[in-house]
Amino acid sequence: MSGDPAAEPLILGIDPALRVCGWGLVRGGLKPAFVACGAIRPDPKQSPARRLRALFDGVREVVSMYAPDEIAVEDPFVGQLQPASALAIGQARAAAVLAGAVHGLEVEFYAPAAVKAAVSGYGRGDKRQVQAMVRMLLGLDLPPEPLDAADALAVAICHLNQRRARHLERTAGR
């Protein structure tokens, strides 16, 4: 991993949900650099199929605009969700994954506890704690909004950490 930011990967993190799907872009390196973040908000008055299409199109638009090298998606924690909610999150996740696949991108998945631990050292922090840690790690003046975008940035940071660890393992074995 070089020190040249242009040579470092651009990671798109996704926090999938059917109501508000957060996205965040971070450029890799020894210190991750903020690129952009936002949220896709399908119209809640639309049918589930149309909302999934809006989510798919929104992620495709972000991918087309920023051309990330890799995508990282938070796996839903469905243990405490109602079955219908778990299914909706799974569908949102699938729409995001397919949007990346259309562009030929590989997708990695991370458990919420792993994402939280990557940014805070603690796998059970709440959304506000994640938001505050992402702000500090990326050197932002203000916390990223909405919370879903902060979560997506945390997913991207988690992926960069895992990517760096895999790289170190490969180079140490030489």
Side-chain angles (χ1 to χ4, degrees), residues 110-119 123 158 162:
Y110 297 95
V115 172
K116 290 174 183 176
V119 297
C158 177
Q162 292 297 318

Side-chain angles (χ1 to χ4, degrees), residues 5 11 18 24 28 47 53 59 76 90-91 108 110-111 113 130-131 142 144 147 151 153 155 159 161 166 168:
I11 308 301
L18 202 48
S47 70
R53 176 61 192 256
V59 174
Q91 291 170 335
E108 295 285 333
Y110 297 95
V130 168
Q131 182 188 45
L142 298 171
L147 289 171
D151 285 350
L153 288 166
V155 174
H159 180 67
N161 291 348
R166 288 191 300 267
L168 291 172

Side-chain angles (χ1 to χ4, degrees), residues 113-129:
V115 172
K116 290 174 183 176
V119 297
S120 69
Y122 178 63
R124 293 180 167 249
D126 67 22
K127 284 185 172 282
R128 291 279 177 207
Q129 289 170 318

Side-chain angles (χ1 to χ4, degrees), residues 101-118:
V102 165
H103 290 274
L105 296 170
E106 293 297 319
V107 180
E108 295 285 333
F109 302 96
Y110 297 95
V115 172
K116 290 174 183 176

Side-chain angles (χ1 to χ4, degrees), residues 12 14-15 17-23 37-43 51-62 96 99 146 148-149:
L12 172 60
I14 302 280
D15 178 28
L18 202 48
R19 291 183 188 184
V20 180
C21 176
W23 61 270
C37 69
I40 303 161
R41 299 174 191 267
D43 183 348
R51 291 184 358 227
L52 287 168
R53 176 61 192 256
L55 180 58
F56 173 80
D57 289 343
V59 174
R60 277 186 44 211
E61 184 178 324
V62 170
D148 309 274

